[in-house]
Amino acid sequence: MTILVTGGLGYIGSHTVVELLNNDFEVVIVDDLSHSEKFILNNIEEITGKKPIFYPFDLKRKELLHQVFEAHKIEGCINFAAYKAVGESQVKPVDYYENNLFTLINILQEFKEREISNFIFSSSCTVYGQADVMPIDENTPLKLPESVYGKTKQMGEEILIDFAKAYHRKITLLRYFNPIGAHPSAKLGELPIGIPNNLVPYVMQTASGIREKLSVWGDDYPTEDGTAVRDYIYVVDLAKAHVAALRKLIENQSEEAVIDIYNLGTGKGSSVLEVVKAFETANNVEVPYQICARREGDITIAYANPGKAEKELGWKSETSLEESLRTTWEWQKYLNSRN
Ligand code: WQD
Protein backbone atom coordinates (compact mmCIF):
# COMPACT_ATOMS: atom_id res chain seq x y z
CA MET A 1 0.00 0.00 0.00
CA THR A 2 1.39 3.41 -1.01
CA ILE A 3 1.29 6.22 1.55
CA LEU A 4 1.93 9.88 0.79
CA VAL A 5 4.07 11.40 3.57
CA THR A 6 4.20 15.18 3.33
CA GLY A 7 7.14 16.74 5.19
CA GLY A 8 8.61 13.24 5.15
CA LEU A 9 12.20 14.50 5.44
CA GLY A 10 11.38 16.56 8.52
CA TYR A 11 11.94 15.60 12.14
CA ILE A 12 8.89 13.45 12.95
CA GLY A 13 8.21 12.73 9.29
CA SER A 14 11.57 11.07 8.65
CA HIS A 15 11.28 8.83 11.71
CA THR A 16 7.76 7.85 10.62
CA VAL A 17 8.95 7.06 7.07
CA VAL A 18 11.49 4.62 8.59
CA GLU A 19 8.74 2.86 10.56
CA LEU A 20 6.45 2.73 7.49
CA LEU A 21 9.20 1.21 5.34
CA ASN A 22 10.05 -1.26 8.11
CA ASN A 23 6.37 -2.28 8.02
CA ASP A 24 6.42 -2.85 4.24
CA PHE A 25 4.44 0.22 3.21
CA GLU A 26 5.45 1.96 -0.01
CA VAL A 27 6.24 5.61 0.71
CA VAL A 28 6.03 8.71 -1.51
CA ILE A 29 7.53 11.81 0.14
CA VAL A 30 6.75 15.38 -0.84
CA ASP A 31 8.96 17.84 1.03
CA ASP A 32 10.02 21.36 0.02
CA LEU A 33 13.22 21.06 2.10
CA SER A 34 12.39 24.35 3.86
CA HIS A 35 12.99 22.66 7.21
CA SER A 36 15.13 19.70 6.23
CA GLU A 37 18.06 18.61 4.08
CA LYS A 38 18.45 16.04 1.30
CA PHE A 39 20.99 13.90 3.23
CA ILE A 40 18.11 12.75 5.43
CA LEU A 41 16.76 10.79 2.44
CA ASN A 42 20.08 8.94 2.06
CA ASN A 43 20.13 8.20 5.77
CA ILE A 44 16.60 6.75 5.60
CA GLU A 45 17.88 4.41 2.89
CA GLU A 46 20.93 3.48 5.00
CA ILE A 47 18.72 2.64 7.98
CA THR A 48 16.02 0.69 6.12
CA GLY A 49 17.74 -0.54 2.96
CA LYS A 50 14.86 1.03 1.02
CA LYS A 51 14.73 4.38 -0.78
CA PRO A 52 11.32 6.08 -0.71
CA ILE A 53 10.18 8.03 -3.77
CA PHE A 54 10.91 11.72 -3.17
CA TYR A 55 9.47 14.87 -4.78
CA PRO A 56 11.11 18.16 -3.73
CA PHE A 57 8.36 20.74 -4.10
CA ASP A 58 6.05 22.99 -2.11
CA LEU A 59 2.62 21.46 -1.58
CA LYS A 60 1.07 24.84 -2.40
CA ARG A 61 1.99 23.92 -6.02
CA LYS A 62 -1.26 22.01 -6.56
CA GLU A 63 -0.45 21.20 -10.18
CA LEU A 64 2.68 19.32 -9.10
CA LEU A 65 0.76 17.54 -6.36
CA HIS A 66 -1.84 16.50 -8.95
CA GLN A 67 0.91 14.83 -10.99
CA VAL A 68 2.02 12.81 -7.95
CA PHE A 69 -1.51 11.44 -7.52
CA GLU A 70 -1.60 10.70 -11.27
CA ALA A 71 1.70 8.80 -11.07
CA HIS A 72 1.12 6.78 -7.89
CA LYS A 73 -1.82 4.83 -6.42
CA ILE A 74 -1.88 6.79 -3.18
CA GLU A 75 -4.09 5.02 -0.61
CA GLY A 76 -3.38 7.11 2.46
CA CYS A 77 -1.59 10.20 3.68
CA ILE A 78 0.30 11.24 6.79
CA ASN A 79 0.46 15.03 6.69
CA PHE A 80 3.43 16.50 8.57
CA ALA A 81 4.15 19.43 6.25
CA ALA A 82 3.61 22.65 8.22
CA TYR A 83 5.53 25.58 9.63
CA LYS A 84 5.79 25.03 13.38
CA ALA A 85 7.68 27.85 15.10
CA VAL A 86 5.29 29.30 17.66
CA GLY A 87 7.10 32.66 17.98
CA GLU A 88 7.56 33.06 14.22
CA SER A 89 3.87 32.36 13.65
CA GLN A 90 3.01 35.47 15.67
CA VAL A 91 4.98 37.75 13.36
CA LYS A 92 4.12 35.96 10.10
CA PRO A 93 0.47 34.98 10.54
CA VAL A 94 -0.51 35.16 6.86
CA ASP A 95 2.42 32.94 5.81
CA TYR A 96 1.42 30.41 8.49
CA TYR A 97 -2.28 30.35 7.55
CA GLU A 98 -1.41 30.10 3.85
CA ASN A 99 1.21 27.38 4.24
CA ASN A 100 -0.39 25.22 6.90
CA LEU A 101 -3.94 25.37 5.52
CA PHE A 102 -3.54 25.68 1.74
CA THR A 103 -1.24 22.64 1.66
CA LEU A 104 -3.79 20.60 3.62
CA ILE A 105 -6.65 21.69 1.35
CA ASN A 106 -4.67 20.86 -1.79
CA ILE A 107 -4.22 17.29 -0.58
CA LEU A 108 -7.88 17.00 0.39
CA GLN A 109 -8.95 18.15 -3.09
CA GLU A 110 -7.07 15.16 -4.54
CA PHE A 111 -8.48 12.83 -1.87
CA LYS A 112 -12.01 14.06 -2.63
CA GLU A 113 -11.72 13.56 -6.39
CA ARG A 114 -10.19 10.10 -6.08
CA GLU A 115 -12.32 8.68 -3.28
CA ILE A 116 -9.22 8.16 -1.11
CA SER A 117 -9.47 7.68 2.68
CA ASN A 118 -6.93 7.01 5.50
CA PHE A 119 -5.73 10.54 6.29
CA ILE A 120 -3.57 11.06 9.38
CA PHE A 121 -3.03 14.63 10.58
CA SER A 122 -0.06 15.80 12.63
CA SER A 123 -1.77 17.86 15.30
CA SER A 124 -0.64 19.13 18.67
CA CYS A 125 -1.60 19.34 22.34
CA THR A 126 -1.49 23.08 21.81
CA VAL A 127 -5.14 22.82 20.73
CA TYR A 128 -5.99 22.36 24.43
CA GLY A 129 -4.34 25.66 25.46
CA GLN A 130 -3.78 25.61 29.23
CA ALA A 131 -6.10 22.73 30.15
CA ASP A 132 -7.80 23.04 33.53
CA VAL A 133 -7.25 19.41 34.55
CA MET A 134 -4.19 17.12 34.27
CA PRO A 135 -3.59 14.66 32.70
CA ILE A 136 -5.13 15.82 29.42
CA ASP A 137 -7.39 13.30 27.66
CA GLU A 138 -9.23 13.52 24.32
CA ASN A 139 -12.43 14.74 26.01
CA THR A 140 -10.66 17.78 27.42
CA PRO A 141 -12.38 20.89 26.00
CA LEU A 142 -10.37 22.68 23.31
CA LYS A 143 -9.39 26.28 23.86
CA LEU A 144 -8.45 28.80 21.19
CA PRO A 145 -4.66 28.48 21.14
CA GLU A 146 -2.61 31.59 21.94
CA SER A 147 -0.38 31.21 18.88
CA VAL A 148 -1.20 31.41 15.17
CA TYR A 149 0.68 28.11 14.84
CA GLY A 150 -1.71 26.51 17.32
CA LYS A 151 -4.72 28.04 15.55
CA THR A 152 -3.62 26.50 12.23
CA LYS A 153 -3.56 23.11 13.94
CA GLN A 154 -7.05 23.60 15.37
CA MET A 155 -8.38 24.85 12.02
CA GLY A 156 -6.73 21.93 10.27
CA GLU A 157 -8.56 19.54 12.58
CA GLU A 158 -11.89 21.25 11.83
CA ILE A 159 -11.29 21.10 8.07
CA LEU A 160 -10.54 17.38 8.31
CA ILE A 161 -13.58 16.64 10.47
CA ASP A 162 -15.82 18.37 7.90
CA PHE A 163 -14.03 16.49 5.10
CA ALA A 164 -14.63 13.14 6.82
CA LYS A 165 -18.29 13.89 7.51
CA ALA A 166 -19.17 15.28 4.09
CA TYR A 167 -17.44 12.59 2.05
CA HIS A 168 -17.67 9.65 4.53
CA ARG A 169 -13.90 9.27 4.81
CA LYS A 170 -11.59 7.96 7.55
CA ILE A 171 -9.28 10.40 9.35
CA THR A 172 -7.10 10.36 12.47
CA LEU A 173 -5.97 13.42 14.42
CA LEU A 174 -2.78 12.76 16.38
CA ARG A 175 -2.18 15.38 19.07
CA TYR A 176 1.51 15.25 19.94
CA PHE A 177 2.81 16.49 23.22
CA ASN A 178 6.52 17.38 23.08
CA PRO A 179 8.53 15.20 20.67
CA ILE A 180 12.24 14.80 21.58
CA GLY A 181 15.20 12.57 20.80
CA ALA A 182 16.72 11.05 17.68
CA HIS A 183 16.92 7.72 15.88
CA PRO A 184 19.11 5.12 17.66
CA SER A 185 21.32 5.03 14.56
CA ALA A 186 22.09 8.75 15.20
CA LYS A 187 21.38 9.31 11.50
CA LEU A 188 18.02 11.05 11.97
CA GLY A 189 17.06 13.79 14.39
CA GLU A 190 15.85 17.32 14.84
CA LEU A 191 17.54 19.74 12.41
CA PRO A 192 16.86 23.17 13.88
CA ILE A 193 17.22 25.97 11.33
CA GLY A 194 18.91 28.98 12.98
CA ILE A 195 18.30 29.54 16.69
CA PRO A 196 16.22 26.61 18.05
CA ASN A 197 12.78 27.56 19.35
CA ASN A 198 12.26 24.32 21.25
CA LEU A 199 13.89 23.38 24.54
CA VAL A 200 15.73 20.14 23.75
CA PRO A 201 17.49 21.25 20.55
CA TYR A 202 18.60 24.39 22.40
CA VAL A 203 19.91 22.25 25.28
CA MET A 204 21.70 20.04 22.74
CA GLN A 205 23.41 23.01 21.08
CA THR A 206 24.33 24.57 24.43
CA ALA A 207 26.00 21.34 25.59
CA SER A 208 27.84 21.30 22.27
CA GLY A 209 29.12 24.86 22.70
CA ILE A 210 27.13 26.18 19.73
CA ARG A 211 25.03 28.29 22.16
CA GLU A 212 26.62 29.99 25.14
CA LYS A 213 23.88 29.23 27.66
CA LEU A 214 20.27 28.16 27.84
CA SER A 215 17.67 30.76 28.82
CA VAL A 216 15.16 29.11 31.13
CA TRP A 217 11.96 30.99 30.37
CA GLY A 218 10.55 31.56 33.85
CA ASP A 219 11.02 29.91 37.24
CA ASP A 220 7.96 31.50 38.85
CA TYR A 221 5.37 29.01 37.61
CA PRO A 222 3.19 27.20 40.20
CA THR A 223 5.17 23.96 39.75
CA GLU A 224 7.53 22.00 42.01
CA ASP A 225 10.71 23.81 40.89
CA GLY A 226 9.00 26.86 39.40
CA THR A 227 9.74 25.94 35.78
CA ALA A 228 7.09 24.89 33.25
CA VAL A 229 6.11 21.24 32.86
CA ARG A 230 5.64 19.35 29.59
CA ASP A 231 5.24 15.72 28.41
CA TYR A 232 8.40 14.83 26.47
CA ILE A 233 7.79 11.85 24.18
CA TYR A 234 10.54 9.95 22.33
CA VAL A 235 10.25 10.56 18.57
CA VAL A 236 10.59 6.86 17.58
CA ASP A 237 7.77 5.91 19.96
CA LEU A 238 5.75 8.71 18.35
CA ALA A 239 6.58 7.42 14.86
CA LYS A 240 5.40 3.92 15.82
CA ALA A 241 2.08 5.38 16.94
CA HIS A 242 1.54 6.66 13.37
CA VAL A 243 1.90 3.15 11.93
CA ALA A 244 -0.48 1.76 14.55
CA ALA A 245 -3.01 4.52 13.80
CA LEU A 246 -2.70 3.94 10.03
CA ARG A 247 -3.24 0.20 10.41
CA LYS A 248 -6.36 0.86 12.52
CA LEU A 249 -7.77 3.20 9.87
CA ILE A 250 -7.06 0.75 7.03
CA GLU A 251 -8.66 -2.12 8.91
CA ASN A 252 -11.79 -0.09 9.66
CA GLN A 253 -14.16 -1.05 6.85
CA SER A 254 -16.85 1.42 7.90
CA GLU A 255 -18.71 3.10 5.06
CA GLU A 256 -19.46 6.03 7.37
CA ALA A 257 -17.16 8.83 8.47
CA VAL A 258 -14.41 7.70 10.87
CA ILE A 259 -12.82 10.35 13.07
CA ASP A 260 -10.17 8.97 15.46
CA ILE A 261 -8.44 11.35 17.88
CA TYR A 262 -5.45 10.39 20.09
CA ASN A 263 -3.23 12.22 22.55
CA LEU A 264 0.33 10.98 22.09
CA GLY A 265 2.45 11.49 25.17
CA THR A 266 4.10 9.49 27.93
CA GLY A 267 1.61 10.47 30.62
CA LYS A 268 4.48 11.95 32.66
CA GLY A 269 5.30 15.63 33.11
CA SER A 270 8.89 16.94 33.36
CA SER A 271 9.96 20.49 34.19
CA VAL A 272 12.49 22.50 32.21
CA LEU A 273 15.08 22.09 34.96
CA GLU A 274 14.38 18.36 35.17
CA VAL A 275 15.09 18.09 31.43
CA VAL A 276 18.34 20.03 31.82
CA LYS A 277 19.49 17.84 34.69
CA ALA A 278 18.45 14.63 32.90
CA PHE A 279 20.43 15.70 29.82
CA GLU A 280 23.52 16.41 31.96
CA THR A 281 23.21 13.08 33.80
CA ALA A 282 22.47 11.02 30.68
CA ASN A 283 25.41 12.42 28.73
CA ASN A 284 27.86 13.50 31.42
CA VAL A 285 27.95 17.04 30.03
CA GLU A 286 27.19 20.48 31.40
CA VAL A 287 24.37 22.73 30.23
CA PRO A 288 24.99 26.29 31.46
CA TYR A 289 21.73 28.21 31.92
CA GLN A 290 20.27 31.46 33.18
CA ILE A 291 16.80 32.07 34.54
CA CYS A 292 14.91 34.63 32.43
CA ALA A 293 11.40 36.03 32.29
CA ARG A 294 8.57 33.84 31.03
CA ARG A 295 8.13 33.48 27.24
CA GLU A 296 4.98 35.16 25.90
CA GLY A 297 2.17 32.65 25.34
CA ASP A 298 3.70 29.74 27.26
CA ILE A 299 1.43 27.61 29.42
CA THR A 300 2.35 26.30 32.88
CA ILE A 301 1.75 22.60 32.51
CA ALA A 302 0.68 19.96 29.98
CA TYR A 303 0.95 16.20 30.10
CA ALA A 304 -1.16 13.52 28.44
CA ASN A 305 -3.45 10.74 29.48
CA PRO A 306 -2.28 8.25 26.80
CA GLY A 307 -4.85 5.64 27.85
CA LYS A 308 -7.01 5.86 24.72
CA ALA A 309 -4.06 5.29 22.34
CA GLU A 310 -2.83 2.45 24.53
CA LYS A 311 -6.25 0.78 24.50
CA GLU A 312 -7.28 1.37 20.89
CA LEU A 313 -3.91 1.34 19.13
CA GLY A 314 -2.10 -1.14 21.34
CA TRP A 315 0.63 1.51 21.56
CA LYS A 316 2.56 2.88 24.55
CA SER A 317 5.58 5.18 24.81
CA GLU A 318 8.21 3.10 26.58
CA THR A 319 11.34 5.25 26.33
CA SER A 320 12.58 7.18 29.36
CA LEU A 321 13.46 10.87 29.36
CA GLU A 322 17.14 10.10 29.93
CA GLU A 323 17.29 7.51 27.13
CA SER A 324 15.59 9.96 24.75
CA LEU A 325 18.10 12.65 25.69
CA ARG A 326 20.99 10.22 25.17
CA THR A 327 19.89 9.75 21.56
CA THR A 328 19.72 13.55 21.17
CA TRP A 329 23.36 13.88 22.20
CA GLU A 330 24.47 11.07 19.85
CA TRP A 331 22.68 12.92 17.01
CA GLN A 332 24.43 16.21 17.87
CA LYS A 333 27.78 14.41 17.79
CA TYR A 334 26.84 12.99 14.36
CA LEU A 335 26.00 16.51 13.13
CA ASN A 336 29.30 17.83 14.52
CA SER A 337 31.15 15.08 12.64
CA ARG A 338 29.48 16.14 9.36
CA ASN A 339 30.58 19.78 9.63
C1 WQD B 1 9.06 23.68 26.26
C2 WQD B 1 9.34 24.38 27.57
C3 WQD B 1 9.50 26.76 27.35
C4 WQD B 1 13.13 26.89 24.95
C5 WQD B 1 5.68 23.92 21.22
C6 WQD B 1 4.40 23.81 20.45
C7 WQD B 1 4.02 22.36 20.29
C8 WQD B 1 5.13 21.64 19.61
C9 WQD B 1 6.43 21.77 20.43
C10 WQD B 1 5.92 21.67 17.36
C11 WQD B 1 8.53 25.67 27.73
C12 WQD B 1 10.83 26.15 27.80
C13 WQD B 1 12.03 26.43 25.67
C14 WQD B 1 14.17 27.58 25.61
C15 WQD B 1 12.98 27.33 27.69
N1 WQD B 1 5.25 22.18 18.31
N2 WQD B 1 11.98 26.65 27.01
N3 WQD B 1 14.06 27.78 26.96
O1 WQD B 1 6.29 25.51 23.73
O2 WQD B 1 5.82 23.32 24.97
O3 WQD B 1 5.48 23.42 22.52
O4 WQD B 1 6.71 23.19 20.59
O5 WQD B 1 6.47 20.62 17.30
O6 WQD B 1 2.86 22.29 19.48
O7 WQD B 1 3.35 24.44 21.17
O8 WQD B 1 7.79 23.48 23.43
O9 WQD B 1 10.21 23.13 23.50
O10 WQD B 1 9.33 25.42 22.84
O11 WQD B 1 9.15 24.66 25.23
O12 WQD B 1 12.91 27.53 28.91
O13 WQD B 1 15.20 28.02 25.00
O14 WQD B 1 10.72 24.77 27.57
O15 WQD B 1 9.25 27.98 28.04
O16 WQD B 1 8.20 25.81 29.10
P1 WQD B 1 6.31 24.02 23.75
P2 WQD B 1 9.19 24.20 23.68
Side-chain angles (χ1 to χ4, degrees):
M1 179 177 273
T2 301
I3 304 297
L4 170 64
V5 181
T6 69
L9 294 186
Y11 176 39
I12 304 163
S14 57
H15 287 85
T16 302
V17 166
V18 164
E19 297 306 320
L20 287 168
L21 293 173
N22 288 344
N23 282 273
D24 297 325
F25 285 97
E26 302 297 320
V27 172
V28 172
I29 295 172
V30 175
D31 193 309
D32 66 1
L33 294 173
S34 62
H35 291 75
S36 181
E37 292 178 35
K38 185 82 182 310
F39 79 88
I40 294 290
L41 183 67
N42 302 332
N43 287 8
I44 288 172
E45 185 178 7
E46 269 185 48
I47 294 166
T48 62
K50 302 173 185 173
K51 186 159 191 169
I53 297 164
F54 169 55
Y55 293 94
F57 65 79
D58 183 333
L59 284 152
K60 293 194 284 294
R61 301 278 307 275
K62 61 195 311 183
E63 71 287 355
L64 295 180
L65 182 62
H66 183 75
Q67 288 167 27
V68 172
F69 276 87
E70 290 289 297
H72 304 278
K73 187 175 184 316
I74 305 283
E75 296 180 81
C77 174
I78 305 182
N79 185 38
F80 294 102
Y83 296 159
K84 64 158 207 168
V86 171
E88 183 186 55
S89 74
Q90 299 302 94
V91 294
K92 295 183 175 176
V94 175
D95 295 349
Y96 267 68
Y97 285 123
E98 181 190 45
N99 185 71
N100 292 6
L101 299 181
F102 283 23
T103 54
L104 172 61
I105 289 163
N106 286 347
I107 304 163
L108 293 182
Q109 290 286 20
E110 294 293 338
F111 265 54
K112 175 170 68 77
E113 296 308 317
R114 300 166 191 271
E115 304 283 314
I116 309 175
S117 212
N118 307 320
F119 194 106
I120 294 187
F121 182 61
S122 165
S123 190
S124 164
C125 62
T126 198
V127 301
Y128 295 111
Q130 175 58 76
D132 298 328
V133 177
M134 293 296 137
I136 301 172
D137 68 23
E138 292 80 356
N139 298 319
T140 300
L142 302 189
K143 291 182 182 173
L144 188 64
E146 302 247 342
S147 70
V148 167
Y149 158 78
K151 288 174 188 170
T152 68
K153 287 301 178 184
Q154 205 169 77
M155 291 172 189
E157 291 194 356
E158 291 305 317
I159 291 167
L160 275 158
I161 289 167
D162 289 339
F163 164 77
K165 287 178 178 172
Y167 306 109
H168 308 297
R169 302 296 168 82
K170 301 181 287 178
I171 68 161
T172 301
L173 310 176
L174 296 180
R175 293 172 178 164
Y176 311 155
F177 280 68
N178 288 59
I180 61 165
H183 193 265
S185 66
K187 291 188 180 305
L188 297 179
E190 196 160 4
L191 260 180
I193 313 267
I195 301 174
N197 293 287
N198 295 134
L199 175 65
V200 170
Y202 204 105
V203 165
M204 170 178 97
Q205 292 191 355
T206 303
S208 188
I210 298 169
R211 306 292 163 199
E212 190 192 343
K213 65 171 70 173
L214 168 74
S215 300
V216 173
W217 302 127
D219 70 343
D220 57 350
Y221 286 98
T223 62
E224 213 166 292
D225 64 16
T227 62
V229 171
R230 297 289 186 273
D231 184 333
Y232 295 96
I233 176 170
Y234 181 46
V235 66
V236 174
D237 291 345
L238 186 61
K240 289 177 176 170
H242 287 73
V243 178
L246 180 63
R247 286 201 186 287
K248 180 172 183 289
L249 269 195
I250 292 166
E251 285 154 19
N252 189 330
Q253 298 303 313
S254 165
E255 294 294 309
E256 296 307 307
V258 172
I259 300 166
D260 285 340
I261 300 176
Y262 298 104
N263 286 354
L264 297 181
T266 65
K268 182 179 177 305
S270 302
S271 74
V272 174
L273 288 180
E274 282 172 333
V275 171
V276 171
K277 288 185 178 38
F279 191 93
E280 291 181 325
T281 306
N283 300 306
N284 193 24
V285 293
E286 266 197 76
V287 179
Y289 67 84
Q290 61 188 355
I291 302 291
C292 301
R294 295 184 181 188
R295 181 172 64 177
E296 183 68 28
D298 273 355
I299 60 172
T300 299
I301 185 167
Y303 58 89
N305 174 348
K308 188 181 177 205
E310 287 173 22
K311 180 164 168 278
E312 296 185 12
L313 300 181
W315 167 89
K316 188 172 167 50
S317 174
E318 305 281 2
T319 310
S320 71
L321 178 64
E322 288 207 3
E323 178 51 33
S324 305
L325 295 171
R326 238 190 306 281
T327 64
T328 300
W329 188 233
E330 292 309 310
W331 164 245
Q332 179 60 55
K333 288 190 281 189
Y334 169 79
L335 291 177
N336 293 343
S337 71
R338 292 186 75 249
N339 298 331

